[in-house]
Amino acid sequence: MDAYGTGSGTRQGPDGPGRRHSADAGAPGGAGAAGTGAEAPSGPPGAEPPVVRAGAEAVVPGGEAAGAGQPPGDPGADPAAAGAPRTPPAAVDAGPAGTAGPPAGVAALPARYQIVAACALALAAVVVCVHLGMLFLHVAPPNTLTERHGDAVDEWIYPEFEQNWKLFAPDPLQQNIAVQVRAEVSTADGGVRTTGWYDLSAEDGRAIDGDPLPSHTRQNQLRRAWDFYVATHDSRDRPVGLRGALAETYLRRIAVLRLERNGAAGPGGVVERVQFRSRTTSVPPPAWSDEKVSARPVHRVLPWWGVPAAETGEGREAEGGAR
């Protein structure tokens, strides 16, 4: 048979042999390629013909177009090839329209617990706002509010929320100050004796050393009382204004309580007078510094203060019994 005869259905001409008209029923393209009006190019003998898109159909190797040979109702048919709209997977898994997931958080609680939670949150918000406002007024410069409500601000701040910025001062403290006290005691046999010096600062230091949660009283009560005294007295230990007398009373009561705790008066003894002194030593400079400081301690001795009977242990017990 002539390979280039007219009976084979092949085209002759510039395209050369090997190309057949797509309308030929015997072409390898099969039924999917028939009737498309397009020509399917063929490669070398024995090779699969490449995919050719003709119009809306794609000719695949084997001679079948995509979607051909499948009945319209075949569930395995590709919806996109059949022209049907593709449904997103999320829409298939979603529930009825307008429905939401189960409530979470506070909304999942019963109604009465929701009310309790809302009240607790509102109360916490109010306390936080008040606390921040008090701190602002405490550290702010003097103004109308602090002049009118300064006592209320101080009662809120001291002693738990005190703001001390000495760490960030241009010239921070470079001294260690130890506060010491001694007492004049009347003994049970009618005599009078003077005790030795009790280093109250050293006692506080030993009490908080190694304690992960030290007492605020141990850390700051004595230190703040001494700073209060120094700020309200001149170099000759004379009080400046009414706060000076208050500072003396506060410091004296601390001394009496500490002396009684240490048993300084002894059995049957009574503390009659107390005397304070401070021992100030400079902090040694670091090794790389050329600064020279004196290592000699400096003492400041205060005058003797009489102790009223109401401030002693027996006086406090008698006052408590009367009440």
Side-chain angles (χ1 to χ4, degrees):
M1 179 177 180
D2 187 1
Y4 299 97
T6 59
S8 63
T10 60
R11 293 183 58 184
Q12 299 180 10
D15 293 340
R19 296 181 61 87
R20 294 184 296 274
H21 203 277
S22 60
D24 189 359
T36 61
E39 297 179 356
S42 62
E48 290 288 334
V51 177
V52 177
R53 296 188 179 275
E57 296 180 349
V59 180
V60 298
E64 294 184 358
Q70 294 179 351
D74 188 358
D78 188 0
R86 184 182 297 273
T87 304
V92 175
D93 298 335
T99 59
V106 179
L109 299 175
R112 60 178 182 275
Y113 293 113
Q114 291 184 16
I115 296 175
V116 173
C119 293
L121 291 175
L123 180 61
V126 170
V127 172
V128 170
C129 292
V130 171
H131 181 67
L132 293 178
M134 291 294 188
L135 287 178
F136 174 78
L137 293 176
H138 175 66
V139 300
N143 52 70
T144 305
L145 288 177
T146 55
E147 291 178 358
R148 181 174 300 179
H149 306 288
D151 294 339
V153 174
D154 291 342
E155 290 179 1
W156 181 276
I157 295 297
Y158 293 107
E160 288 83 5
F161 308 114
E162 177 189 1
Q163 303 298 307
N164 190 341
W165 302 102
K166 291 183 179 180
L167 176 63
F168 304 100
D171 187 16
L173 296 177
Q174 299 179 359
Q175 296 175 331
N176 287 325
I177 301 176
V179 180
Q180 302 171 348
V181 67
R182 65 178 178 177
E184 187 177 274
V185 180
S186 59
T187 60
D189 56 2
V192 177
R193 66 180 179 88
T194 302
T195 65
W197 290 102
Y198 289 86
D199 195 336
L200 304 183
S201 298
E203 291 179 1
D204 289 347
R206 288 191 296 268
I208 66 177
D209 188 19
D211 188 354
L213 298 173
S215 169
H216 182 76
T217 302
R218 287 292 191 182
Q219 294 182 81
N220 297 317
Q221 184 186 51
L222 180 63
R223 179 182 62 84
R224 293 292 298 158
W226 182 257
D227 290 345
F228 185 29
Y229 174 85
V230 173
T232 56
H233 287 72
D234 58 16
S235 58
R236 297 184 179 182
D237 295 312
R238 293 177 300 186
V240 179
L242 299 178
R243 292 171 61 85
L246 179 62
E248 291 182 7
T249 302
Y250 185 43
L251 196 60
R252 184 181 66 242
R253 290 183 176 179
I254 292 176
V256 173
L257 291 175
R258 298 289 185 90
L259 290 171
E260 290 180 353
R261 185 185 304 166
N262 292 324
V270 178
V271 176
E272 299 291 345
R273 296 195 302 170
V274 295
Q275 185 180 32
F276 278 92
R277 76 173 182 183
S278 64
R279 184 177 185 270
T280 304
T281 55
S282 299
V283 177
W288 47 263
S289 176
D290 296 333
E291 183 181 2
K292 303 296 182 182
V293 297
S294 175
R296 183 178 180 180
V298 178
H299 292 88
R300 177 180 179 178
V301 182
L302 274 58
W304 285 95
W305 296 337
V307 178
E311 295 182 8
T312 61
E314 295 179 357
R316 291 194 303 271
E317 291 179 359
E319 185 178 357
R323 290 181 180 178

